[in-house]
Amino acid sequence: MTGSVLRTRSPAPPAGGGQPLSGSPLAVRGAVAAGAVAGIGLVILVLLVVVGWVAAPHDGLGLTGVLRTAATAWLIGNHVGFVLTGTGPVGMLPLGLVLLPGALLWRAGRWVVRTGGVTRLRHVGSAALAVAVPYATLSVALAAAGRSAQAAPSILQAAACGFLLALTAAGLGGARALAPWSQLTGLMPARLRAVVTGAAGALAVLAGAGALLAGGSLAAHLGQYAAINRALSPGLIGAGLLILAQVGYVPNAIVWAIAFTLGPGFAFGNGTVIAPGGSMLGPLPEFPMLAALPAGPHPAVPAALSVAMLAVPYLAGAFGGLLIARAAPTPVLEAAPLWGFGAGALAGCVLAVLAWFAGGPLGNGRLAAVGPSPWQTGVVAVLEVGVAAAISAGVANWLRYRGTRLGVTRFDGLLQATGLLRASQPPDEDEHTIYLNQWDEPGPGDDGPPAGYGPASLP
């Protein structure tokens, strides 16, 4: 299994062309990769900011202001919050923008591993650190340089978010450069792999249902969406940038919809709630995507659809339990429900983290609380998905165990009837039993132990 994981690959040239930095330390390669990622991201965002500045110029915003705005946008793409003068902290940031630096850091991790002579998985962490440390340093530098009288990015979040994003994306990219996903997941213990598979299946069902709910709600309010667009009258270029901003908030909307199906729902301001049982909203900002939110103190969806939405977490848990039973190495009746609940607990923890990143304040006033509650989302997900997964995994393992036992019994009976298998009988006292010493040295005519015999070399 680990032989292909440990194989050495020929160094690949860097993405920008040219020769690889042969003989350079891993830290130098990581610094070069981090600088390239930050530079490419800044160039893309500077171009977008310049386009918006030309289409709708602002008095007093010169080239320095454009560069500071691009640096702030780059930090927002790394999920770094900021403080607006006269408004307060802004932390409700688009999760979709994280895909741009995440994809670039993924490629950076692959390049560092392939050109740095990394051939073992335990060395991928060093390669990821070589990218993450300088990347976090660049994030802090940009947060300090991007401060102005209008906006002040958080230096602490720049260091923490930049480091965690680079460490995760570069580490996954570097590991994938050494081996395919099937071999990487095969390094986990069988039971843990089954739990992760069940949690991933439950999260996939919840994400699909959330995407359908968010898209269906927006489609049902297309008239309000068009009215907000007409009121904003952004123009051709402004409309393109506005659509790009809304696409960035699509992952946030899916996480909010998942919280809706779980039951706690989410808020859009202090004293507001959007849940299956009802909604209570105040005035909303003029952002076209917010037209999907139901207004007024009435049920957000029809009663039948509300019941169907509340059943989604249990269906997701049941699906995850079936995946656990299928991926389990052997049927274990006693532990199957425990593994199922563990998958639900893992899914709940992931949803709590996503809910935390998908929401945040929009100032110090009425919109200081926006998005789902992380702890409520996590606890309810653990209970609903975990209990359903435990029941499903227990039933599926019992059926599998029962089918296995019946299948073995019937197969043995068939072999005995055909004479291919003798029924077990007590040994005769006159018969001699020959014991083989498996640890004896092979004789002259023996081929010896098979290839690969013995403990496998670990990565």
Side-chain angles (χ1 to χ4, degrees):
M1 177 187 298
T2 58
S4 57
V5 177
L6 307 178
R7 62 179 179 271
T8 304
R9 296 193 179 190
S10 58
Q19 297 297 324
L21 304 175
S22 57
S24 301
L26 203 62
V28 174
R29 298 174 186 273
V32 171
V37 169
I40 294 173
L42 280 174
V43 167
I44 295 174
L45 292 174
V46 165
L47 291 177
L48 292 177
V49 172
V50 168
V51 169
W53 180 57
V54 172
H58 293 78
D59 294 335
L61 184 64
L63 182 59
T64 303
V66 169
L67 294 178
R68 285 179 175 173
T69 304
T72 303
W74 185 87
L75 292 171
I76 291 175
N78 288 267
H79 210 78
V80 177
F82 56 96
V83 178
L84 285 178
T85 303
T87 301
V90 176
M92 215 283 286
L93 307 174
L95 288 176
L97 291 184
V98 180
L99 295 177
L100 174 60
L104 294 175
L105 288 168
W106 169 283
R107 297 292 302 174
R110 291 175 62 91
W111 178 77
V112 170
V113 166
R114 288 184 173 181
T115 62
V118 178
T119 58
R120 293 183 178 273
L121 285 176
R122 63 171 175 262
H123 297 155
V124 173
S126 300
L129 279 175
V131 178
V133 172
Y135 189 81
T137 305
L138 289 173
S139 299
V140 171
L142 286 174
R147 286 176 169 261
S148 64
Q150 292 77 25
S154 172
I155 294 181
L156 181 61
Q157 290 187 18
C161 294
F163 180 81
L164 292 177
L165 179 61
L167 185 68
T168 303
L172 291 176
R176 181 59 183 85
L178 291 181
W181 290 120
S182 58
Q183 294 185 8
L184 293 176
T185 55
L187 297 176
M188 292 189 298
R191 290 294 176 184
L192 178 59
R193 185 167 63 249
V195 170
V196 172
T197 301
L203 290 173
V205 173
L206 289 173
L212 289 176
L213 178 60
S217 180
L218 186 60
H221 298 84
L222 282 180
Q224 300 178 21
Y225 181 90
I228 296 176
N229 262 329
R230 288 193 299 268
L232 291 176
S233 60
L236 182 60
I237 297 178
L241 295 177
L242 185 60
I243 291 176
L244 183 62
Q246 294 178 78
V247 171
Y249 277 106
V250 167
N252 301 63
I254 294 177
V255 175
W256 292 12
I258 293 175
F260 182 89
T261 60
L262 290 172
F266 56 93
F268 207 99
N270 294 323
T272 64
V273 63
I274 300 97
S279 63
M280 184 177 296
L281 279 175
L284 298 175
E286 288 191 350
F287 191 64
M289 199 173 182
L290 297 179
L293 299 181
H298 55 75
V301 293
L305 184 58
S306 177
V307 174
M309 288 293 101
L310 291 176
V312 168
Y314 299 99
L315 295 177
F319 179 70
L322 293 177
L323 292 181
I324 293 174
R326 180 180 180 183
T330 55
V332 181
L333 294 179
E334 298 81 1
L338 181 61
W339 294 117
F341 189 81
L346 178 59
C349 292
V350 172
L351 289 176
V353 173
L354 290 177
W356 183 44
F357 282 107
L362 286 175
N364 288 323
R366 187 179 58 86
L367 298 180
V370 178
S373 170
W375 75 268
Q376 291 184 13
T377 302
V379 170
V380 174
V382 169
L383 294 177
E384 295 181 353
V385 179
V387 171
I391 296 175
S392 174
V395 173
N397 270 268
W398 179 78
L399 293 176
R400 180 186 174 191
Y401 180 80
R402 183 172 180 270
T404 302
R405 297 297 299 170
L406 290 177
V408 170
T409 303
R410 293 173 180 173
F411 186 66
D412 289 349
L414 179 61
L415 292 179
Q416 292 176 10
T418 56
L420 297 178
L421 179 66
R422 293 188 302 172
S424 60
Q425 298 178 355
D428 193 355
E429 295 181 357
D430 296 334
E431 294 181 355
H432 298 280
T433 304
I434 300 176
Y435 297 93
L436 298 178
N437 185 4
Q438 299 180 357
W439 306 102
D440 194 9
E441 295 294 334
D446 297 337
D447 295 332
Y453 181 80
S457 56
L458 297 177

